[in-house]
């Protein structure tokens, strides 16, 4: 019996390595799909519709928002970004797992609308390592690094809203743990209701 895919939501503080872990998972799991967001910003060179983003006008985005077509959305530097409910649902119904790599506020909005998701909070092994990672990016001033570090420290308070905690000390090992989480989730009785009903008829 074909099983629906799982919605995997990865988030955590800045510097936790969410993006790197997400890329590792995608490279190892051909059945895993990265959610494609809707945006109101103009396409950049090389970006294609439905590949990088679904590009929509501001009016089209607002209409989608009013019709409840987003699992979550946010405005960033004057442009809107949203996770389309229909795209995610289509992928899940076709049996593909879908991964969302989003910030904590976005993840909690998704959880309010999609409780069946698998919510994983990724953290670095120590706060010292977190600060080191933020500094070694080399793209921000010391003040900006400190601001991000303080924000990350506060974001750790949200960990209890998630299903799982994964420490990202080693990217490959972190990906192993998330794959184990997905395997366990597929074995949950509540996700195998149809099989349970079939077995009741023969056992």
């Amino acid at each position: 019996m074909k099983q629906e895919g799982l919605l995997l939501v990865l988030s955590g503080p800045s510097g936790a390595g969410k993006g790197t872990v997400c890329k590792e998972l995608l490279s190892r799991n051909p059945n895993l799909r990265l959610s494609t967001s809707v945006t109101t910003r103009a396409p950049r060179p090389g970006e294609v519709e439905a590949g990088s983003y679904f590009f929509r006008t501001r009016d089209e985005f607002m209409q989608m928002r009013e019709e409840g077509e987003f699992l979550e959305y946010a405005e960033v530097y004057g442009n809107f970004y949203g996770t389309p409910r229909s795209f995610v649902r289509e992928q899940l119904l076709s049996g593909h797992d879908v991964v969302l790599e989003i910030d904590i506020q976005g993840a909690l909005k998704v959880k309010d609308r999609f409780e069946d998701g698998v919510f994983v909070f990724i953290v670095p092994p120590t706060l010292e390592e977190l600060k080191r990672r933020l500094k070694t990016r080399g793209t921000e001033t010391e003040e900006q690094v400190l601001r991000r570090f303080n924000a990350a420290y506060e974001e750790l308070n949200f960990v209890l809203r998630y299903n799982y905690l994964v420490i990202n000390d080693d990217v490959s090992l972190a990906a192993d743990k998330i794959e184990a989480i997905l395997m366990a989730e597929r074995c949950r009785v509540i996700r195998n209701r149809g099989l349970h009903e079939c077995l009741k008829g023969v056992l």
Side-chain angles (χ1 to χ4, degrees), residues 64-80:
M64 293 177 70
R65 186 185 70 174
E66 291 301 315
E67 294 174 355
E69 294 189 30
F70 293 120
L71 287 175
E72 59 84 28
Y73 66 88
E75 184 177 9
V76 182
Y77 300 121
N79 291 305
F80 283 93

Side-chain angles (χ1 to χ4, degrees), residues 148-159:
R148 281 190 177 272
F149 177 79
N150 289 335
Y153 183 80
E154 292 297 323
E155 287 173 338
L156 293 174
N157 293 320
F158 291 99
V159 67

Side-chain angles (χ1 to χ4, degrees), residues 40 55-65 70:
T40 59
F55 295 99
R56 298 292 183 268
T57 66
R58 193 180 185 90
D59 287 343
E60 289 171 335
F61 190 99
M62 293 306 171
Q63 182 176 351
M64 293 177 70
R65 186 185 70 174
F70 293 120

Side-chain angles (χ1 to χ4, degrees), residues 100-140:
L100 298 182
E101 185 227 320
I102 54 179
D103 63 27
I104 291 170
Q105 297 303 321
L108 296 181
K109 289 179 182 177
V110 173
K111 192 174 185 183
D112 288 340
R113 295 168 173 81
F114 201 96
E115 292 184 354
D116 285 344
V118 181
F119 295 82
V120 178
F121 197 88
I122 298 177
V123 295
T126 65
L127 289 174
E128 289 76 16
E129 173 63 13
L130 174 63
K131 185 175 286 188
R132 187 195 68 79
R133 290 180 186 180
L134 291 172
K135 286 183 176 181
T136 54
R137 287 177 174 179
T139 58
E140 296 166 315

Side-chain angles (χ1 to χ4, degrees), residues 134-147:
L134 291 172
K135 286 183 176 181
T136 54
R137 287 177 174 179
T139 58
E140 296 166 315
T141 65
E142 184 70 27
E143 182 181 352
Q144 290 172 324
V145 168
L146 182 60
R147 190 182 305 120

